[in-house]
Amino acid sequence: MAKTNTTELLEALAAEIGESVYIDIAKWHLYLGDAKLHTVVAEQLYPLITSNSVNEDRVIKVLESIPVKIGGGRRELPLFDLLPLQCQVSLVDILEKYQREI
């Protein structure tokens, strides 16, 4: 990977998250890139990578703190509630990979 520029690293991380992680709504998969959430997620999780503190519990806390507006903004749900377990595992794997490579 060898990305030294923080902006490049964040963009690469956001792109990978956007293509790999999705929200599951009634068995429809909306990838975070299509939902325009990938950048926010990458920015919120980046400090875990740089502090070498990626673990499932910390990732879950961050996901719980990211609100997702639904129903035209009438309600908000934490992103954590919309991600299937498989995507949470994939997200942690992605973050651990970046943590190892920086």
Side-chain angles (χ1 to χ4, degrees), residues 47-74:
L48 296 180
I49 293 170
T50 58
S51 66
N52 205 27
S53 59
V54 171
N55 69 43
E56 187 177 355
D57 291 336
R58 288 189 174 133
V59 171
I60 287 171
K61 284 183 183 177
V62 171
L63 294 174
E64 289 174 335
S65 74
I66 299 173
V68 177
K69 293 183 180 190
I70 60 170
R74 288 185 287 177

Side-chain angles (χ1 to χ4, degrees), residues 3-4 10-11 13-14 24 29 39-40 43 52-53 60 62-63 77-78 80-81 89 95-96:
K3 301 245 189 291
T4 55
L10 264 172
E11 288 174 359
L13 177 62
D24 187 328
H29 296 173
T39 303
V40 170
E43 289 170 348
N52 205 27
S53 59
I60 287 171
V62 171
L63 294 174
L77 290 174
F80 175 76
D81 290 346
V89 171
L95 296 171
E96 287 174 342

